[in-house]
Amino acid sequence: MLLGVVGAVAFPLWSKASDHIDEKVEAAKQSGETVTVYFLDGTTSGYLGIVLGLLLVLGVVLETLPTAKWGRTLGKRLCGVRVLDIEEHDTPSFGTALRRWLVYSVLGLLVIGVLNVLWCLFDRPWRQCWHDKAARTFVASAD
């Protein structure tokens, strides 16, 4: 859900950024000189900032808050699982849920998120992914 909402906002911004870069490249070609065209400038970095800011705000609202309050998001509820603190076996605190989501997001942005998610298949005894290890949480059946 989070990626769908952010993607819906990012898609038109991607189009605007692409048009902006195309205009810069065309202007450089028209100048007849050898120039450096930077893809990240005031315009494109503004678009990137909007998308990252939206990702952060919606991540807190759609992932961190429900995890801290109920131990699960809507998706986890549909799957019949919840997130628990590894020591207290209770819903994680807001700070713990935030750390869990931030580690998950950063690893995903660094393209090693797939390895993070697959890690739980081999981890024993808690079957934790790296974001669970960082936050000291685990995923359990909702019972």
Side-chain angles (χ1 to χ4, degrees), residues 67-133:
T67 301
K69 182 154 179 77
W70 300 293
R72 57 186 165 192
T73 60
L74 178 60
K76 286 179 185 66
R77 182 175 181 175
L78 292 173
C79 291
V81 296
R82 62 188 175 141
V83 177
L84 298 173
D85 183 275
I86 203 161
E87 292 177 7
E88 299 172 15
H89 290 244
D90 199 7
T91 57
S93 67
F94 176 81
T96 300
L98 181 63
R99 182 179 328 116
R100 183 179 189 274
W101 177 75
L102 285 173
V103 170
Y104 176 81
S105 298
V106 168
L107 291 174
L109 289 173
L110 296 176
V111 193
I112 57 173
V114 173
L115 184 57
N116 169 39
V117 173
L118 293 176
W119 192 262
C120 69
L121 298 174
F122 309 104
D123 186 68
R124 298 287 185 265
W126 297 102
R127 294 190 175 266
Q128 294 170 293
C129 295
W130 296 339
H131 57 281
D132 285 311
K133 290 186 177 298

Side-chain angles (χ1 to χ4, degrees), residues 20-30 37 39:
H20 174 73
I21 292 168
D22 288 345
E23 289 171 9
K24 286 174 57 173
V25 169
E26 190 58 37
K29 287 179 183 177
Q30 296 292 331
V37 176
F39 293 135

Side-chain angles (χ1 to χ4, degrees), residues 11-29 36-48:
F11 186 74
L13 293 178
W14 175 266
S15 178
K16 286 182 175 184
S18 179
D19 290 345
H20 174 73
I21 292 168
D22 288 345
E23 289 171 9
K24 286 174 57 173
V25 169
E26 190 58 37
K29 287 179 183 177
T36 302
V37 176
Y38 294 99
F39 293 135
L40 194 61
D41 62 7
T43 302
T44 57
S45 63
Y47 296 152
L48 179 61

